[in-house]
């Protein structure tokens, strides 16, 4: 008997990840809402998205056994709305909004893990006296309370940088803030949540540094389970841009166990249940201090090929099982590789894309590096500074998923592949064309 699973913003790449899970032939995977409506559109018309999703589900012509998603806001909140409509397992809308809101979630974390979060405060960027309301000393990070992929996230070291960051944030914050406000109207938020600190606010946090990693897990009927840890390696002048994710983590086991214990307190404090999650941490070797960066109410889509390479199946399997109300049995460590990574090719200055690889060139490269998957994120003629969804300090132009026998082989395979990737840019300084890799 076929089980029908609906996936918000489903694309071909993630359909292939879903097809790696156990008994995949027993499922029918259906897209819910178009990819372009969900992933990095110019605007998020929340009421239209909810109405269209409800129409698609009502007219599907098959049972809706489960609904899942792997994208950030607003997918996380839309999941809660649609599951509530149909009485399906999943985190409630209020809990999802609390987790997504970077200030509200810090308030809850402060109650249960006060020693594992940085100093923080909220700020209204539209307050004429905003700069006078800041209580933290420089330097600190400033970011909208709703956002992802480090968009509009600035590290500020002085008043000049703060003034610039606030100016930029004021121009872009409504893209996420306004749809979040619409979703707040659909949720009954608990009394301890300060609704006046809405989604058009910022959170300021003191910097936390060290070894970064992400714990992937789920909470089901109140029980927290962590099944994998992925290392996050950063690059750039501020060490703020992701260079790669590596699985499995090389963190000391004792440190990972302490992170799990913190997770077991932090996730339930957000009122979450019956959902996958991932939690980002930093470990400072010198002080041996662990700090929590954020909790996400979804699997990491970036990690799914890594689990497929090493564990034998994407952790979409966890998302599907939890959405069906079943206890996951994951991972099984049946992959072809001992280690795997997602490498992010970045350019740290603006430019025009002058050359991208053809489909035939990508196929040829992937055949020479078995198991590699290449995704080019730009097209010829693009100006990098005009692309949506990019962070402040660099431009992600391509990603490469690749596996290997050990971390040294992994790095060597990637370097060789990247050097041969025909991806070129025209510098705006007039210095000619440069190849990334």
């Amino acid at each position: 008997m076929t089980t029908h699973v609906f996936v918000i913003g489903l694309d071909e790449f993630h359909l292939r990840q879903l097809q790696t899970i156990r008994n995949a032939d027993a499922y029918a995977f259906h897209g819910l809402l178009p990819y372009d409506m969900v992933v990095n559109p110019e605007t998020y018309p929340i009421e239209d998205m909810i109405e269209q999703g409800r129409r698609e589900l009502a007219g599907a012509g098959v049972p809706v056994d489960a609904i899942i998603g792997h994208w950030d806001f607003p997918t996380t909140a839309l999941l809660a709305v649609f599951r509530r409509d149909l009485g399906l397992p999943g985190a409630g809308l209020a809990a999802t909004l609390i987790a997504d809101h970077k200030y509200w979630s810090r308030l809850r974390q402060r109650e249960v893990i006060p020693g594992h979060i940085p100093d923080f405060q909220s700020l209204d960027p539209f307050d004429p006296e905003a700069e006078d309301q800041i209580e933290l000393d420089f330097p600190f990070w400033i970011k909208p309370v709703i956002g992802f992929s480090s968009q509009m996230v600035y590290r500020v070291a002085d008043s000049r940088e703060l003034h610039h960051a606030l100016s930029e944030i004021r121009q872009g914050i409504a893209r996420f803030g306004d749809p979040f406000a619409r979703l707040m109207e659909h949720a009954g938020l608990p009394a301890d949540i300060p609704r006046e600190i809405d989604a058009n606010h910022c959170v300021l946090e003191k910097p936390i540094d060290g070894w970064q990693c992400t714990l992937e897990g789920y909470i089901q009927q109140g029980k927290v389970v962590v099944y994998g840890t992925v290392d996050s390696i950063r690059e750039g002048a501020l060490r703020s841009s992701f260079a790669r994710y590596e699985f499995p983590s090389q963190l000391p086991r004792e440190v990972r166990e302490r992170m799990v214990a913190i997770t077991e307190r932090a996730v339930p404090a957000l009122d979450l249940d019956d959902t996958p999650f991932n939690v980002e941490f930093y470990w400072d070797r010198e002080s041996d201090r662990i700090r929590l960066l954020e909790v996400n109410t979804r699997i990491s889509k970036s990690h799914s090929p890594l689990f497929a390479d090493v564990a034998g199946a994407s952790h979409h399997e966890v998302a599907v099982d939890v959405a069906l109300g079943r206890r996951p049995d994951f991972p099984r460590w049946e992959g072809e590789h001992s280690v795997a990574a997602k490498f992010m090719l970045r350019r740290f200055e603006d430019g025009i894309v002058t050359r991208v690889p053809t489909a035939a060139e990508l196929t040829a490269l992937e055949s020479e590096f078995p198991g590699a998957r290449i995704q080019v994120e730009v097209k010829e003629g693009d100006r990098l500074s005009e692309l949506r969804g990019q962070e402040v300090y660099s431009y992600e132009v391509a990603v490469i998923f690749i596996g290997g026998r050990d971390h040294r082989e992994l790095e060597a395979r990637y370097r060789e592949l990247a050097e041969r990737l025909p991806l070129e840019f025209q510098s705006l300084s007039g210095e000619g064309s440069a190849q990334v890799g």
Side-chain angles (χ1 to χ4, degrees):
M1 185 174 180
T2 300
T3 299
H4 295 275
V5 178
F6 288 75
V7 188
I8 294 180
L10 182 60
D11 61 353
E12 284 298 320
F13 182 82
H14 290 96
L15 177 58
R16 291 195 295 272
Q17 302 306 307
L18 282 158
Q19 290 167 343
T20 69
I21 73 175
R22 188 193 315 217
N23 300 322
D25 56 355
Y27 298 99
F29 298 109
H30 308 271
L32 175 60
L33 295 178
Y35 174 92
D36 291 339
M37 175 181 274
V38 172
V39 182
N40 211 24
E42 186 173 350
T43 61
Y44 295 93
I46 287 297
E47 297 297 342
D48 292 344
M49 296 171 83
I50 291 174
E51 181 181 349
Q52 180 168 335
R54 285 171 170 166
R55 284 200 310 270
E56 291 181 19
L57 292 168
V62 295
V64 181
D65 297 309
I67 309 173
I68 68 168
H70 43 252
W71 305 107
D72 290 286
F73 177 84
T75 293
T76 47
L78 292 171
L79 282 171
V81 171
F82 298 144
R83 288 167 171 169
R84 181 180 64 187
D85 287 348
L86 299 175
L88 296 172
L93 179 58
T96 301
L97 296 182
I98 292 169
D100 283 348
H101 193 288
K102 299 181 191 300
Y103 180 72
W104 295 349
S105 62
R106 283 299 194 204
L107 294 178
R108 289 290 185 88
Q109 292 162 21
R110 189 167 62 186
E111 294 177 6
V112 294
I113 54 167
H116 299 289
I117 61 173
D119 292 336
F120 68 98
Q121 70 166 92
S122 65
L123 185 73
D124 180 357
F126 298 101
D127 184 342
E129 308 298 325
E131 296 181 32
D132 296 328
Q133 306 302 317
I134 295 175
E135 302 167 1
L136 300 180
D137 295 329
F138 294 116
F140 52 76
W141 289 96
I142 180 171
K143 49 193 169 184
V145 294
I146 300 298
F148 53 86
S149 301
S150 299
Q151 296 179 58
M152 292 181 288
V153 175
Y154 295 84
R155 180 166 173 146
V156 296
D158 54 37
S159 296
R160 179 185 60 81
E161 292 183 357
L162 174 61
H163 183 77
H164 171 72
L166 284 171
S167 176
E168 294 294 313
I169 288 171
R170 290 183 191 115
Q171 293 181 50
I173 195 170
R175 180 168 176 243
F176 298 122
D178 288 353
F180 189 91
R182 300 297 297 172
L183 284 157
M184 286 174 61
E185 298 173 6
H186 293 264
L189 294 169
D192 68 308
I193 295 301
R195 297 179 65 102
E196 67 275 12
I197 310 297
D198 63 19
N200 285 308
H201 278 68
C202 294
V203 64
L204 280 58
E205 298 183 346
K206 291 296 290 181
I208 52 177
D209 298 301
W211 187 326
Q212 187 178 2
C213 68
T214 301
L215 272 60
E216 292 279 358
Y218 62 91
I219 181 169
Q220 192 174 49
Q221 298 179 5
K223 178 178 175 57
V224 170
V225 176
V226 172
Y227 54 81
T229 304
V230 179
D231 286 335
S232 301
I233 292 85
R234 291 181 179 265
E235 62 183 346
L238 297 176
R239 309 299 295 176
S240 61
S241 302
F242 285 115
R244 66 187 184 273
Y245 304 130
E246 289 189 358
F247 179 68
S249 170
Q250 298 185 80
L251 268 174
R253 179 176 179 179
E254 180 269 340
V255 174
R256 284 183 277 125
E257 289 174 347
R258 287 160 57 198
M259 289 178 174
V260 171
I262 296 167
T263 300
E264 289 173 341
R265 301 200 300 274
V267 171
L270 299 173
D271 298 334
L272 294 170
D273 205 358
D274 296 323
T275 182
F277 62 76
N278 65 77
V279 187
E280 299 177 55
F281 284 100
Y282 280 94
W283 173 55
D284 186 302
R285 293 176 189 245
E286 293 185 7
S287 66
D288 194 30
R289 191 170 186 180
I290 295 172
R291 302 284 189 91
L292 187 152
L293 179 62
E294 65 182 21
V295 178
N296 298 299
T297 60
R298 52 170 176 76
I299 64 168
S300 167
K301 65 179 178 58
S302 293
H303 298 165
S304 60
L306 280 56
F307 279 97
D309 281 349
V310 177
S314 167
H315 59 330
H316 280 91
E317 182 169 310
V318 172
V320 170
D321 281 341
V322 172
L324 290 167
R326 298 192 306 225
R327 180 70 67 181
D329 177 19
F330 187 88
R332 293 178 298 283
W333 307 114
E334 298 170 349
E336 296 181 7
H337 301 284
S338 298
V339 297
K342 174 185 178 179
F343 289 89
M344 287 147 274
L345 278 75
R346 296 188 177 277
R347 185 174 168 90
F348 289 87
E349 62 175 319
D350 199 5
I352 305 294
V353 182
T354 57
R355 164 102 156 87
V356 296
T358 65
E361 287 172 328
L362 288 177
T363 299
L365 267 178
E366 290 177 343
S367 67
E368 292 183 50
F369 294 84
R373 287 135 295 176
I374 306 168
Q375 296 179 331
V376 176
E377 306 291 337
V378 294
K379 62 182 184 298
E380 191 171 316
D382 280 347
R383 178 169 176 169
L384 299 181
S385 60
E386 295 177 353
L387 298 173
R388 283 200 300 269
Q390 296 285 345
E391 60 157 75
V392 172
Y393 299 107
S394 70
Y395 307 100
E396 182 182 293
V397 296
V399 299
I400 297 174
F401 296 97
I402 197 166
R405 289 173 296 184
D406 53 41
H407 291 274
R408 181 176 298 180
E409 181 187 77
L410 196 70
E411 182 87 10
R413 293 188 75 204
Y414 163 71
R415 292 298 173 196
E416 183 181 356
L417 193 162
E419 287 173 3
R420 296 172 57 185
L421 186 65
L423 187 57
E424 299 177 3
F425 303 86
Q426 178 68 44
S427 172
L428 296 183
S429 63
E431 296 179 359
S433 187
Q435 181 168 337
V436 167

